[in-house]
Amino acid sequence: MDALLNGSIAGATTVLITNPFDLAKTRLQAQGELVAEGHYKRAYSGVINTLIKTSQSEGILAVQKGLQAAIVFQIIMNGLRFGTYEIVKDIANEQFHLYNSHGYIKVLSNIGISAGVGCFSAFISSPFNMIKTRLMLQTKDLPCGNRYHYSGLIDAISQIFKTEGLKGLYAGSSIMALRTGLGSAIQLPVFDYTKEHGKQWIKNQTELNMIASANATLWLCLLTCPVEVALTRYFNQQFDNHGNPTVYQGCFHAIKIIFKSEGFLGLYKGLGGLFFRSGPQSFISLLIVNQLNSLRNQKKQ
């Protein structure tokens, strides 16, 4: 329960800082949809340019579009991810003895547990990420903007449920599970591995957490960006009256047609925004969770 609460606190705290970068990432990923580079007019040229143009055309508070949905999404996802990670790891260790003779959890076991809890947390929280994405893309600056018109989180839930039912709310949940499972399989094990093997050189716990978090974030962004682009496009496409997608049928289909239409770099649109979002998010979340866990352990002792 403590780990779940710590993860929720960390998620809610970081999203206040990282939400504008998430908006920039989302809009950069959406622009030039299925059009070859050089054959469309860029609305945004980078992360900072996106935030400046958004502020100028929609008001300064527009950079925090989707914040309410983002907070709920992070509370549910991070709370479940960090909470169940510790619980499952402890249970699995009791049953299968996952730690080696040096006291380190075996890498493959850690990856499997991290991926599993990541998929679970992503599936549960998926509707709020979809709503966040659609709210962020409500803009006249992009040709793909304004496909959906919601006044906020509650209105979005109501409209989607009325027109498409529960199926509509969970559209793209399988891609969410894949993205977060992949991210968790990378982030948490790399973070743990770096910490475990770096403590012999770095004695300061905060510095060690910072280095481990930066290393985890680097690999996270490089390996998950194509799935992030596919997810943004999937969430923002039109669905028919039966809740079926009209353009992207799934993650791998989306990656295939994006690569065919926009080239390899099309799969890495918004990489800078992803790093600026994931970097502080990963660092602050993991730092808060570790500090809260340390305080909890000190209190028990």
Side-chain angles (χ1 to χ4, degrees):
M1 182 60 69
D2 285 339
L4 188 150
L5 181 61
N6 292 349
S8 297
I9 293 171
T13 303
T14 57
V15 77
L16 296 173
I17 301 169
T18 61
N19 195 63
F21 298 114
D22 196 8
L23 177 136
K25 171 201 74 78
T26 301
R27 292 189 172 189
L28 287 167
Q29 288 175 336
Q31 75 172 347
E33 186 172 14
L34 300 182
V35 179
E37 185 66 34
H39 289 76
Y40 65 91
K41 183 179 179 180
R42 284 179 175 232
Y44 312 111
S45 60
V47 175
I48 302 303
N49 179 260
T50 303
L51 297 177
I52 291 173
K53 283 192 173 180
T54 299
S55 300
Q56 290 175 339
S57 62
E58 302 168 52
I60 187 66
L61 294 180
V63 299
Q64 288 286 13
K65 276 188 175 181
L67 179 61
Q68 187 179 8
I71 290 174
V72 177
F73 167 65
Q74 286 294 334
I75 287 174
I76 296 173
M77 189 184 75
N78 263 343
L80 289 175
R81 189 159 64 106
F82 284 107
T84 55
Y85 175 70
E86 295 297 333
I87 294 170
V88 172
K89 190 167 67 171
D90 290 341
I91 293 173
N93 182 52
E94 289 179 3
Q95 297 294 322
F96 304 107
H97 306 291
L98 302 183
Y99 287 83
N100 60 29
S101 58
H102 299 289
Y104 301 150
I105 189 170
K106 297 173 184 176
V107 175
L108 290 179
S109 300
N110 204 5
I111 290 174
I113 293 170
S114 300
V117 300
C119 289
F120 171 72
S121 61
F123 181 83
I124 299 298
S125 59
S126 179
F128 299 100
N129 194 33
M130 177 178 66
I131 292 167
K132 176 201 71 173
T133 300
R134 291 180 178 179
L135 287 170
M136 287 177 170
L137 290 175
Q138 287 187 170
T139 173
K140 295 179 181 179
D141 291 341
L142 289 172
C144 65
N146 288 333
R147 284 180 178 164
Y148 295 94
H149 302 273
Y150 308 131
S151 60
L153 175 60
I154 302 302
D155 181 53
I157 294 173
S158 176
Q159 284 196 45
I160 295 169
F161 189 77
K162 283 180 181 178
T163 57
E164 302 170 45
L166 192 61
K167 179 181 178 180
L169 283 172
Y170 276 90
S173 57
S174 61
I175 305 178
M176 264 294 296
L178 174 63
R179 191 284 307 262
T180 310
L182 179 61
S184 295
I186 297 164
Q187 184 187 38
L188 293 176
V190 171
F191 181 79
D192 280 351
Y193 184 86
T194 306
K195 274 187 62 180
E196 289 170 353
H197 293 273
K199 61 186 178 184
Q200 54 186 311
W201 296 289
I202 305 169
K203 302 304 179 183
N204 184 283
Q205 190 63 38
T206 301
E207 290 179 4
L208 181 59
N209 285 340
M210 290 175 63
I211 292 171
S213 177
N215 191 34
T217 301
L218 175 63
W219 288 101
L220 174 74
C221 293
L222 290 175
L223 295 176
T224 62
C225 193
V227 182
E228 285 269 1
V229 175
L231 185 63
T232 296
R233 301 285 183 84
Y234 191 95
F235 279 157
N236 195 49
Q237 69 179 323
Q238 294 287 355
F239 291 80
D240 63 24
N241 293 332
H242 302 288
N244 299 313
T246 57
V247 181
Y248 307 104
Q249 302 304 310
C251 179
F252 297 109
H253 178 253
I255 289 174
K256 178 183 176 181
I257 62 176
I258 291 169
F259 177 78
K260 185 177 180 180
S261 302
E262 304 170 47
F264 177 77
L265 293 180
L267 296 172
Y268 279 87
K269 284 182 176 178
L271 179 62
L274 177 61
F275 186 82
F276 281 117
R277 183 205 71 180
S278 300
Q281 194 173 71
S282 175
F283 168 68
I284 297 171
S285 293
L286 292 170
L287 183 62
I288 290 174
V289 167
N290 274 271
Q291 294 300 330
L292 289 173
N293 286 339
S294 296
L295 291 173
R296 180 191 63 186
N297 293 334
Q298 289 174 10
K299 186 177 180 180
K300 285 182 178 179
Q301 292 173 0

